[in-house]
Amino acid sequence: MGAKIPGYVVVKRCSRRMKKHARLRAAVGTLLVLSVIIPLVLLYRVTSWSARAPPQPTFKCNSAPTTSPRPPNEHVTNARLRIDARALLFVETQYSKLGQDLRMLLEWNRIDYKVELAGKSLPVLASSDKGRYAVVVFENVERYFAMDRWNREILDLYCIKYNVGLVGFPAHGSAVAPVGAPPRPAHMTMLTNVSLRDYELNPYSEVLRILRAGEVHHGTISKANPWTVFVSNHSTYEAVAFAYADDVGSASEGVPARFYTTAVEDKGFLDNIRKVFFGQDFEFWLHRPLFLDAISYLSHGKLSISLERYLLVDIDDIFVMQRGLRMKRSDVQVSIASLVVVAMLLSRSDRPSQDYRIETAIRKKSRCRGS
């Protein structure tokens, strides 16, 4: 017979087993509680979300749908026959923010481009009496004014010979003005670190094509990034966009706010080179379509994009989403009303265009499958 196990050893082993069973029961109990609480929380969130009203737009156009805006400017001229459909882009570094934004915007619109680092030698600009680039873009316009004499003369002669324009953005972030930069454009003053509000387009500017003047972007614009504004009385400069100084003190005292040009066109009366200067980068969203208008204008329509637009309305949520997130009848009605407004705006008439049959299709499907 084996030796007897002392009683205190048996008690220790039993206590250990009881502790293990207690921990296991506690873990199982916690899992059961969570398995009950989590579905209840999700059910509450789904039901509370489905009870909300359909989302509404945060702004509305001030112009009535019946107004007839000016037709878009056509930038096509015979000068486009001597240049290729490609943009030359000078950037500070390969990883600069505005440089990447410019490249993405050109790629999205399927515009061919070549990237060069500012301050380096110029690439081959022409071959067989045809210009290789339709427009020249500087991420930091100070690099253009600070170019060495040889490169500056070559670039200017190319722009004059092939009637190629230039786009420039102000120095921003890490893109500082080069040391010893020569004076900026003649007969024009550039003011920096200006806070602005109430952005507006010039309805008489020939640069505009995608954008349409007539509305005002009310409120402070890009408050975190101050603007560069342009002041000039010379006839070679024409405002493309303008805004008011965001001077709280003057506004409270009843003093009229100062009026500044935020994007300016140089018609080339002084050096025969057309240019467009921007007062800020793409932090302000309207500068993206305005940049597309600028390169279309300066390239004589060579880099123009189509004005046809297709509205993709995703209505799958009406039928395939899970209950609680699925679109309801009120959501569908709001969508239909929005499409009718868009149809009126695009057709420029009191009645929706006959080409917009989306409303009828949505009504039929909503009636067949229910809300």
Side-chain angles (χ1 to χ4, degrees):
M1 296 178 63
K4 292 183 178 181
I5 301 176
Y8 66 89
V9 176
V10 176
V11 172
K12 283 186 177 181
R13 291 181 179 178
C14 292
S15 62
R16 290 176 183 175
R17 291 177 182 176
M18 292 177 63
K19 288 181 179 179
K20 290 182 180 180
H21 288 300
R23 292 175 183 174
L24 182 60
R25 286 195 297 268
V28 173
T30 304
L31 291 176
L32 291 176
V33 172
L34 291 177
S35 63
V36 173
I37 293 177
I38 292 177
L40 292 177
V41 173
L42 293 177
L43 180 61
Y44 171 76
R45 292 178 62 87
V46 169
T47 54
S48 62
W49 174 264
S50 61
R52 297 178 182 176
Q56 299 293 330
T58 57
F59 68 93
K60 292 184 179 180
C61 296
N62 295 326
S63 301
T66 57
T67 58
S68 298
R70 297 180 60 184
N73 295 311
E74 292 297 333
H75 297 155
V76 177
T77 65
N78 292 332
R80 68 194 300 268
L81 302 177
R82 300 184 61 198
I83 51 180
D84 292 333
R86 182 184 303 165
L88 179 58
L89 177 59
F90 288 98
V91 299
E92 292 293 287
T93 66
Q94 292 290 346
Y95 307 101
S96 56
K97 184 179 183 303
L98 179 57
Q100 292 180 347
D101 290 341
L102 288 167
R103 280 177 284 187
M104 285 192 296
L105 184 59
L106 294 174
E107 290 174 358
W108 290 342
N109 292 277
R110 300 181 180 180
I111 297 176
D112 191 16
Y113 65 92
K114 180 179 177 60
V115 178
E116 294 287 340
L117 292 179
K120 305 295 183 180
S121 300
L122 293 175
V124 178
L125 299 177
S127 61
S128 302
D129 198 30
K130 188 173 184 179
R132 290 190 173 186
Y133 307 100
V135 69
V136 181
V137 182
F138 280 87
E139 177 190 1
N140 180 5
V141 72
E142 299 288 353
R143 294 292 185 182
Y144 171 72
F145 300 124
M147 293 180 70
D148 60 87
R149 182 177 178 181
W150 176 257
N151 287 331
R152 176 68 179 271
E153 288 182 355
I154 293 177
L155 184 60
D156 288 350
L157 288 175
Y158 171 79
C159 293
I160 294 172
K161 181 178 180 180
Y162 296 98
N163 205 358
V164 171
L166 185 145
V167 179
F169 293 86
H172 59 92
S174 59
V176 297
V179 178
R184 294 177 179 181
H187 305 286
M188 184 172 70
T189 303
M190 300 172 64
L191 306 179
T192 59
N193 297 326
V194 180
S195 298
L196 300 175
R197 60 176 175 83
D198 299 345
Y199 190 95
E200 188 174 357
L201 297 172
N202 180 10
Y204 301 102
S205 175
E206 297 179 354
V207 176
L208 303 182
R209 183 172 176 267
I210 300 175
L211 292 178
R212 303 292 182 88
E215 294 290 338
V216 179
H217 187 286
H218 294 283
T220 303
I221 48 178
S222 301
K223 190 173 183 179
N225 299 307
W227 287 69
T228 297
V229 296
F230 310 94
V231 180
S232 176
N233 291 324
H234 199 279
S235 58
T236 191
Y237 299 108
E238 182 182 63
V240 179
F242 33 78
Y244 292 94
D246 191 14
D247 193 344
V248 180
S250 298
S252 61
E253 296 173 3
V255 180
R258 289 167 292 181
F259 195 65
Y260 287 124
T261 299
T262 56
V264 64
E265 174 199 354
D266 181 359
K267 295 183 177 294
F269 294 162
L270 300 176
D271 57 1
N272 295 321
I273 302 175
R274 300 188 304 172
K275 312 176 191 69
V276 174
F277 299 121
F278 287 82
Q280 199 185 75
D281 52 19
F282 291 159
E283 290 295 328
F284 183 53
W285 64 274
L286 270 178
H287 279 184
R288 294 178 184 269
L290 187 57
F291 171 75
L292 295 176
D293 282 346
I295 63 175
S296 171
Y297 172 72
L298 297 175
S299 66
H300 306 277
K302 196 70 173 183
L303 300 181
S304 297
I305 63 175
S306 175
L307 293 179
E308 293 184 358
R309 297 294 180 266
Y310 299 91
L311 299 179
L312 176 61
V313 183
D314 186 5
I315 61 174
D316 292 345
D317 293 348
I318 303 176
F319 315 115
V320 300
M321 286 297 291
Q322 60 186 354
R323 186 176 299 276
L325 297 180
R326 188 181 304 167
M327 292 180 67
K328 300 181 298 183
R329 184 177 298 276
S330 58
D331 298 321
V332 177
Q333 292 174 349
V334 171
S335 300
I336 293 174
S338 300
L339 290 175
V340 171
V341 173
V342 172
M344 287 183 177
L345 290 173
L346 295 180
S347 60
R348 303 190 189 96
S349 62
D350 293 337
R351 299 176 58 189
S353 173
Q354 297 297 328
D355 296 333
Y356 296 92
R357 301 183 178 89
I358 301 178
E359 176 188 355
T360 304
I362 292 180
R363 288 186 186 275
K364 289 181 178 179
K365 291 185 177 181
S366 61
R367 289 173 183 174
C368 293
R369 304 198 180 189
S371 59

